[in-house]
């Protein structure tokens, strides 16, 4: 059995728990043991903590990593933002003994130490590489015949220097394809959804980032957008609501890859509690049942 | 032992743990950070221990959330600076004019320019500003804000207080429960020991001071 510590992050459990529900069901079905991380905190959110104080950023990350290390397993994240933080912090700590020493000096006061023995992966990588496409394919009993646009999320492209930035997006594409959907290319897959600029300039974020993506995707004739990042998900769902203030009306269902996988595994949509969404995902799920 | 080190040791002996930090910055330049409540005692110690002590001036730095007062003294060719940091919420400066009369005018000037209230000053009247100068328009006083831009404040506040940057409301916890999930995942805030440890880590990194977090209220000191 494949065993990982599952880092849920903040946004999924507290804003879109249906993704957590779906993930737990998917992991169970494919034989992936996902251990909870007792006492974990925010990864932490890098825009503030990293810019403000690198030591604080590394120490909070190292504390989270040390919890997984204590469990004796590698760590996987569902959220792209957490992935970036924890992968980068892990890389810095492993490559810089002085930073590791400073961080452990602080953690020592609380009986903790991070030794740098674990790896961090995105759930997409774990499903694709560790579980395997064939194993997942076995579970797909209800292929979903809809047309979808993919939004990978910027941090999904993060790779070590010289790495193939499309490595993880291609995995996500492949996993999505397994669910039976038709993937529609709309040309703006790599454009940021606008989430990071939301606080600085709402109108720019909505009209210059989210809107072009929605427009191109809808013109391409999609039924839904498939995402893996909860922050992007919030931007896509709340952004459509906010765009109405500007007289722009979109109501595209936005579904997480884990939810789509769970549905294709035959999990009844009612069990996923899709009512946590702010876009018509339940309607989409009902429609898929009928197709 | 040179003058610089001797002065530091002298203050450490007299003030004990009220000396927070002390360093010889360079030749003939000493900086000693003391607790604000120990400032007057430090000045008395210097006056009593160094007959040729000469008071130079007091500098004030407005850091946004705190005032830093730098009392400069001359001891036999060496400049010794007593540094104290006081939160702007207190907005006070303890006068040393009764110990060092020459501090009288500079303290009044500081009060005028920064809007700081003088404690125990013999004549706490305006010195360079007119009597009717408005309290809320002090020439050198900065707004009461910390390092974080407005948009980042709620996130930093949530990160430090709960360890989770998404709203940990009881509403969502109830909804999680009704969906068959535990009320919360095993977050820091769900367990007292983990929360204590996390807060200790935050204190250990100094992030709380850097962003201006008030532990008593569990919020940032500024909106």
């Amino acid at each position: 059995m494949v065993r990982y510590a599952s880092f849920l992050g903040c946004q999924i459990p507290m804003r879109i728990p249906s993704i957590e529900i779906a993930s737990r069901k998917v992991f169970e079905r494919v034989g992936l043991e996902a251990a909870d991380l007792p006492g974990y905190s925010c990864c932490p959110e890098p825009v503030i903590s990293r810019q403000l104080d690198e030591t604080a950023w590394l120490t909070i990350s190292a504390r989270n990593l040390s919890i997984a290390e204590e469990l004796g397993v590698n760590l996987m994240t569902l959220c792209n933002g957490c992935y970036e933080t924890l992968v980068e912090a892990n890389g810095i700590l492993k490559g810089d003994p002085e930073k590791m020493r400073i961080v452990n000096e602080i953690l020592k006061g609380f009986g903790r130490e991070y030794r740098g023995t674990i790896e961090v992966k995105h759930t997409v990588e774990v499903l694709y590489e560790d579980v395997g496409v064939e194993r997942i394919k076995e579970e797909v009993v209800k292929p979903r015949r809809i047309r979808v646009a993919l939004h990978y999320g910027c941090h999904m492209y993060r790779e070590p220097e010289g790495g193939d930035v499309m490595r993880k997006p291609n995995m996500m594409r492949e996993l999505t394809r397994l669910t039976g959907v038709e993937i529609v290319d709309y040309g703006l897959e790599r454009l940021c959804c606008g989430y990071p600029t939301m606080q600085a300039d709402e109108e720019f974020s909505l009209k210059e980032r989210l809107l072009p993506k929605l427009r191109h995707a809808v013109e391409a004739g999609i039924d839904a957008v498939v995402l893996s990042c909860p922050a992007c998900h919030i931007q896509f769902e709340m952004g459509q609501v906010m765009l109405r203030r500007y007289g722009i009306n979109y109501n595209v269902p936005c579904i997480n890859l884990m939810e789509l996988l769970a549905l294709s595994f035959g999990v009844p949509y009612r069990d996923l509690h899709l009512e946590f969404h702010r876009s018509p995902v339940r309607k989409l799920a009902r429609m898929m049942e009928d197709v | 032992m040179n003058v610089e080190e001797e002065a530091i040791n002298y203050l450490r002996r007299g003030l004990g743990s009220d000396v927070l930090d002390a360093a010889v910055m360079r030749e003939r330049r000493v900086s000693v950070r003391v607790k604000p409540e120990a400032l007057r005692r430090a000045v008395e110690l210097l006056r009593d221990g160094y007959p040729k002590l000469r008071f130079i001036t007091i500098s004030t730095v407005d850091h946004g959330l705190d005032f830093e007062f730098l009392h400069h003294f001359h001891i036999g060719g060496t400049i010794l600076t007593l540094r104290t940091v006081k939160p702007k919420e207190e907005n006070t400066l303890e006068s040393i004019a009764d110990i060092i009369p020459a501090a009288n005018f500079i303290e009044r000037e500081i009060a005028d320019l920064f809007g700081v209230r003088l404690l125990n000053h013999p004549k706490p009247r305006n010195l360079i500003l007119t009597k009717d100068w408005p309290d809320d328009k002090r020439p050198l006083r900065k707004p009461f804000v910390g390092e974080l831009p407005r948009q980042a404040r709620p996130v930093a506040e949530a990160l430090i207080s709960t360890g989770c940057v998404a709203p940990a409301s009881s509403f969502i916890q109830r909804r999680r429960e009704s969906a068959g999930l535990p009320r919360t995942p095993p977050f820091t805030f769900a367990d007292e020991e983990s929360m204590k440890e996390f807060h200790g880590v935050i204190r250990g990194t100094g992030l709380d001071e850097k962003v201006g977090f008030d532990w008593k209220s569990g919020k940032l000191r500024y909106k």
Side-chain angles (χ1 to χ4, degrees), chain B residues 36-205:
Chain B
E37 57 271 26
L39 173 68
R40 282 176 57 83
R41 263 193 301 132
V43 175
E44 281 168 348
L45 276 172
L46 291 175
R47 179 200 61 189
D48 298 342
Y50 294 94
K52 288 188 178 171
L53 179 82
R54 189 168 66 85
F55 169 73
I56 302 172
T57 191
I58 307 170
S59 316
T60 303
V61 185
D62 184 342
H63 288 294
L65 295 178
D66 302 294
F67 279 123
E68 184 173 11
F69 300 109
L70 300 117
H71 291 66
H72 307 288
F73 297 90
H74 181 266
I75 305 171
T78 292
I79 295 173
L80 182 143
T81 299
L82 287 177
R83 292 170 56 222
T84 49
V85 177
K86 290 191 89 174
K88 272 167 97 174
E89 290 94 332
E90 285 184 26
N91 201 38
T92 55
L93 170 61
E94 191 99 22
S95 172
I96 58 162
D98 58 329
I99 310 166
I100 308 277
N104 185 319
F105 275 30
I106 183 64
E107 287 177 347
R108 286 170 64 189
E109 189 179 335
I110 289 167
D112 276 7
L113 298 176
F114 290 93
V116 176
R117 194 163 53 85
L118 295 176
L119 299 178
N120 307 315
H121 192 280
K123 212 183 229 182
R125 296 204 305 254
N126 283 17
L127 180 75
I128 53 175
L129 300 182
T130 55
K131 278 183 191 166
D132 58 347
W133 193 276
D135 276 348
D136 60 341
K137 287 190 173 54
R138 300 297 175 149
L140 295 184
R141 192 182 177 99
K142 288 183 190 169
F144 183 67
V145 285
E147 280 195 39
L148 291 172
R150 188 172 296 279
Q151 299 86 349
R153 292 173 201 165
V155 179
E157 194 170 277
L159 171 66
I160 295 177
S161 59
T162 66
C164 168
V165 300
S169 67
S170 51
F171 172 71
I172 194 80
Q173 290 181 30
R174 279 198 307 275
R175 286 193 67 189
R176 281 179 58 88
E177 224 169 16
S178 65
L181 288 169
R183 273 179 82 85
T184 71
F187 261 129
T188 39
F189 69 77
D191 170 63
E192 207 177 310
E193 280 305 305
S194 300
M195 198 71 256
K196 220 160 96 183
E197 179 193 319
F198 180 74
H199 283 162
V201 168
I202 294 285
R203 282 191 171 100
T205 63

